């Protein structure tokens, strides 16, 4: 297993998984996840699956695209072949976010909400990624539906890309997953423990498992922290800058992205404003770079 500087896993946990939103999922955070995730990220090819469509706003939310794009660029700089998948309806926000970081549009592919699951199985078998990373991507419950943080069944607006996580073990594909509520793909590994913490929301918890679940306060922050872990382990320049964070927030708003908490266009993510996002980026850079951050 890849090793990080001794204090870094706990420091990453303190920054990104202290239950600031009060959703309780990050109370189950295990700092060992950062090193465990590096094993998944070391594969020569990776798929990142993200995107959360908000039906009330008919728009993609702002949590997910930045974390996925920052991680994708970092992996590419390390020589990894990366593709990013989502719903077709989320592609506009994703591509605009990626453009800020210089990611080409053809890195991103969307699927229609009602894509047949057998088509997805065939696609996984044919393309055969080395590993999967889910980041703020809804996963089905044991009843086979996807529910948002309000407990609403939003399955008609979710392409069933969580299916890949179910099929991955039989194909030897490791799965890491970042989530902040427990209803995301990959958080199923923590479902039983989380159900005792969240009351009535337990019925919305995903049953889709992962090899490395990473519960955090805001899923973007998990993507950024994974990038910080990659930077610390490789010595490469991988983290994005505070200015790039600001530009991504503006790009998502221009593309119609909405804050998932308010369901309205804003320069915020899950209720945390631009200053919060930029401060976190600065703190992560200080962890891996010290005074040069």
């Amino acid at each position: 297993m890849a090793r990080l500087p001794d204090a870094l896993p706990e420091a990453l946990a303190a920054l990104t998984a202290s239950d600031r939103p009060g959703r309780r999922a990050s109370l189950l955070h295990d700092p060992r996840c950062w090193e465990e995730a590096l094993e998944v990220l070391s594969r020569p090819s990776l798929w990142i699956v993200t995107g959360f469509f908000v039906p009330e706003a008919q728009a993609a939310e702002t949590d997910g695209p930045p974390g996925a794009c920052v991680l994708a660029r970092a992996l590419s700089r390390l020589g990894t072949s990366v593709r990013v998948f989502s719903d077709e309806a989320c592609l506009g926000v994703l591509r605009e976010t990626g453009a800020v970081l210089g990611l080409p549009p053809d890195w991103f592919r969307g699927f229609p909400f009602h894509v047949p699951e057998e088509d997805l199985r065939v696609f996984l078998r044919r393309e055969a990624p080395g590993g999967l990373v889910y980041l703020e991507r809804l996963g089905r419950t044991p009843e086979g539906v996807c529910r948002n943080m309000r407990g609403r069944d939003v399955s008609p607006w979710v392409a069933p890309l969580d299916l890949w996580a179910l099929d991955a073990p039989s194909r030897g594909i490791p799965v890491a997953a970042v989530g902040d509520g427990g209803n995301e793909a990959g958080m199923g590994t923590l479902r039983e423990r989380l159900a005792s913490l969240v009351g009535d929301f337990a019925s919305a918890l995903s049953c889709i498992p992962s090899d490395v679940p990473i519960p955090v306060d805001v899923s973007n922050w998990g993507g950024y922290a994974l990038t910080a872990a990659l930077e610390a382990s490789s010595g490469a320049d991988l983290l994005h800058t505070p200015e790039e964070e600001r530009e991504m927030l503006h790009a998502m708003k221009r593309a119609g992205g909405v804050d998932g908490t308010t369901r309205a266009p804003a320069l915020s993510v899950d209720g945390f404003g631009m200053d919060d996002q930029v401060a976190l980026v600065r703190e992560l850079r200080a962890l891996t770079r010290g005074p040069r951050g």
Side-chain angles (χ1 to χ4, degrees):
M1 181 183 297
R3 295 291 301 172
L4 294 173
D6 288 344
L8 186 60
E10 292 284 353
L12 292 175
L15 278 180
T16 65
S18 59
D19 198 31
R20 287 175 65 183
R23 290 191 288 253
R24 307 187 70 78
S26 65
L27 295 175
L28 299 182
H29 183 92
D30 183 343
R32 292 176 296 182
C33 68
W34 305 115
E35 289 183 337
E36 293 170 353
L38 289 179
E39 295 299 302
V40 180
L41 300 181
S42 69
R43 296 299 179 105
S45 64
L46 286 167
W47 289 1
I48 300 174
V49 188
T50 191
F52 197 128
F53 189 77
V54 180
E56 296 91 341
Q58 286 295 290
E61 75 156 289
T62 54
D63 195 19
C69 290
V70 167
L71 182 59
R73 184 177 71 172
L75 289 164
S76 177
R77 286 178 173 177
L78 294 174
T80 306
S81 173
V82 188
R83 300 179 72 182
V84 183
F85 294 95
S86 190
D87 309 294
E88 286 181 344
C90 294
L91 274 185
V93 169
L94 257 174
R95 284 178 171 151
E96 288 300 314
T97 306
V100 171
L101 303 179
L103 307 188
D106 61 3
W107 280 23
F108 304 93
R109 173 165 177 176
F111 289 89
F113 292 137
H114 301 295
V115 59
E117 292 194 351
E118 184 55 30
D119 288 1
L120 294 175
R121 287 192 177 94
V122 170
F123 186 76
L124 179 71
R125 184 166 60 247
R126 184 180 72 235
E127 301 295 329
L132 285 166
V133 179
Y134 285 83
L135 193 152
E136 187 65 6
R137 180 68 194 179
L138 276 173
R140 69 194 73 181
T141 69
E143 294 73 36
V145 301
C146 292
R147 297 190 182 276
N148 64 15
M149 288 300 295
R150 297 166 181 83
R152 178 187 176 187
D153 180 358
V154 293
S155 305
W157 298 276
V158 183
L161 307 185
D162 59 350
L163 176 76
W164 292 335
L166 290 175
D167 285 2
S170 66
R171 302 188 179 283
I173 301 171
V175 180
V178 179
D180 57 31
N183 55 341
E184 302 93 353
M187 294 296 106
T189 304
L190 305 174
R191 186 174 185 275
E192 186 173 334
R193 294 169 60 200
L194 189 53
S196 66
L197 299 177
V198 298
D200 292 342
F201 187 66
S203 63
L205 297 177
S206 172
C207 67
I208 302 296
S210 60
D211 299 293
V212 187
I214 307 172
V216 290
D217 293 345
V218 176
S219 293
N220 280 344
W221 300 356
Y224 300 167
L226 284 172
T227 302
L230 283 170
E231 180 165 298
S233 64
S234 68
D237 181 3
L238 302 177
L239 277 163
H240 67 306
T241 66
E243 184 54 37
E244 286 174 326
E245 177 69 18
R246 293 188 189 94
E247 290 178 7
M248 285 192 294
L249 290 169
H250 281 288
M252 287 191 291
K253 186 177 180 183
R254 288 194 303 270
V258 298
D259 186 307
T261 300
T262 64
R263 295 172 285 183
L267 299 174
S268 62
V269 179
D270 281 1
F272 292 93
M274 182 182 287
D275 289 347
D276 294 306
Q277 314 302 327
V278 169
L280 181 92
V281 173
R282 286 197 174 113
E283 290 177 283
L284 287 170
R285 289 170 67 87
L287 282 180
T288 60
R289 298 165 177 235
R292 71 185 178 97

